[in-house]
């Protein structure tokens, strides 16, 4: 089954404690990205990756890091989480950026920073 | 600067009614306009999409209408069902771009 898998699905953490949200896809997609979803703001792109070792900033990259060492994995790293990073996070993947390529989303990771 | 503006923010319709969601865009280079459907607790999933060379695309009860001159497109859900209750996002992108620009979403509630 084609899927994008995120872990953890739910996490409550404290300010400043480093955390990593993992993302893995089994569709051999080149393109992967992270979004955050906040009420009234919709989906905003954090970082994206065109392929292994190729990453770039999206619209809201501050406070986040990513890496793409393997094609299937694209972890999101919060080095020092703050309460304004409390959000619902989605990992997504697709075959590329040509218009018409369907983007597949994971089921989301609810993160609360206290 | 919001490149895709979506309205309304929420909508309540009765079963069997028509749901209409509108989106407007600014970038005339956009050439692909997908709609994503998101159920509670799930990630968004592609519902239907259109390119600007056609004015309408229909898939079952879902229809996209596209007005290139007005830079607007809309999703019509005919015979709305309670199972259609979800958040709907319009989006836009252009070939070769790394970015899919989303509207802010619209929460649809279909009452039985």
């Amino acid at each position: 089954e084609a899927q994008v898998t995120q872990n953890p699905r739910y996490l409550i953490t404290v300010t400043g404690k480093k955390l990593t949200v993992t993302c893995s896809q089994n569709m051999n997609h080149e393109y992967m990205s992270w979004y955050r979803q906040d009420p009234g703001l919709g989906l905003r792109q954090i970082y994206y990756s065109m392929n292994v070792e190729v990453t770039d900033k999206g619209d809201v990259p501050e406070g986040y890091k990513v890496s793409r060492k393997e094609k299937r994995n694209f972890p999101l790293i919060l080095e020092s989480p703050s309460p304004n990073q409390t959000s619902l996070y989605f990992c997504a993947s697709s075959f590329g950026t040509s218009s018409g390529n369907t983007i597949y989303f994971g089921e989301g990771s609810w993160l609360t920073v206290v | 600067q919001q490149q895709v503006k979506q309205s309304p923010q929420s909508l309540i319709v009765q079963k069997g009614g028509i749901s209409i969601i509108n989106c407007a865009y600014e970038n005339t280079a956009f050439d692909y306009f997908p709609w994503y459907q998101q159920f509670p607790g799930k990630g968004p999933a592609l519902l239907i999409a259109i390119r600007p060379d056609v004015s309408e695309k229909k898939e079952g009860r879902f229809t996209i209408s596209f007005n290139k001159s007005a830079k607007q497109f809309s999703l019509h859900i005919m015979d709305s069902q309670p199972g259609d209750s979800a958040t709907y996002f319009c989006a836009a992108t252009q070939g070769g771009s790394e970015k899919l620009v989303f509207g802010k979403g619209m929460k649809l509630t279909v009452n039985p």
Side-chain angles (χ1 to χ4, degrees):
Chain A
E1 180 187 356
Q3 57 185 3
V4 178
T5 304
Q6 301 178 220
N7 280 295
R9 294 289 313 282
Y10 305 91
L11 179 64
I12 301 174
T13 190
V14 296
T15 299
K17 184 177 181 181
K18 180 180 178 180
L19 69 92
T20 299
V21 186
T22 64
C23 175
S24 180
Q25 50 93 4
N26 64 358
M27 295 169 279
N28 201 35
H29 285 164
E30 286 85 17
Y31 182 78
M32 298 185 73
S33 61
W34 277 100
Y35 293 84
R36 60 179 289 174
Q37 183 177 8
D38 302 288
L41 297 177
L43 290 158
R44 294 181 293 167
Q45 191 180 53
I46 303 171
Y47 268 95
Y48 62 91
S49 169
M50 302 288 286
N51 214 323
V52 176
E53 302 292 1
V54 181
T55 63
D56 208 344
K57 297 177 181 179
D59 295 318
V60 288
E62 295 77 20
Y64 305 95
K65 287 177 57 178
V66 293
S67 68
R68 186 91 181 272
K69 294 182 170 54
E70 302 168 283
K71 194 172 187 179
R72 63 182 292 126
N73 297 322
F74 190 45
L76 179 69
I77 303 159
L78 285 73
E79 293 272 4
S80 182
S82 62
N84 65 10
Q85 292 178 297
T86 293
S87 187
L88 174 58
Y89 291 87
F90 288 102
C91 180
S93 73
S94 71
F95 276 113
T97 57
S98 297
S99 61
N101 280 316
T102 300
I103 293 180
Y104 295 85
F105 286 84
E107 296 207 322
S109 295
W110 285 96
L111 172 64
T112 301
V113 183
V114 298
Chain B
Q1 182 183 10
Q2 186 184 357
Q3 295 192 59
V4 178
K5 294 184 178 180
Q6 186 172 349
S7 63
Q9 287 188 320
S10 62
L11 181 65
I12 300 173
V13 301
Q14 293 299 120
K15 179 181 176 181
I18 301 174
S19 305
I20 301 174
I21 312 167
N22 300 301
C23 283
Y25 64 97
E26 298 167 2
N27 186 347
T28 55
F30 287 150
D31 61 1
Y32 181 66
F33 301 88
W35 284 88
Y36 280 79
Q37 181 187 53
Q38 182 184 27
F39 292 109
K42 300 292 185 181
L46 180 66
L47 178 63
I48 187 173
I50 197 169
R51 295 188 186 278
D53 54 347
V54 297
S55 60
E56 185 175 285
K57 182 174 182 180
K58 183 176 182 179
E59 291 183 1
R61 295 184 294 108
F62 299 90
T63 300
I64 300 178
S65 297
F66 189 86
N67 186 330
K68 189 173 182 178
S69 61
K71 293 188 287 184
Q72 295 175 347
F73 58 110
S74 60
L75 176 69
H76 296 234
I77 306 174
M78 310 301 288
D79 187 27
S80 299
Q81 300 296 310
D84 297 330
S85 297
T87 298
Y88 292 82
F89 292 95
C90 61
T93 190
Q94 60 187 91
S97 169
E98 304 83 7
K99 184 180 296 294
L100 184 65
V101 180
F102 285 92
K104 291 187 176 182
M106 188 214 76
K107 183 177 181 180
L108 173 66
T109 302
V110 181
N111 290 326

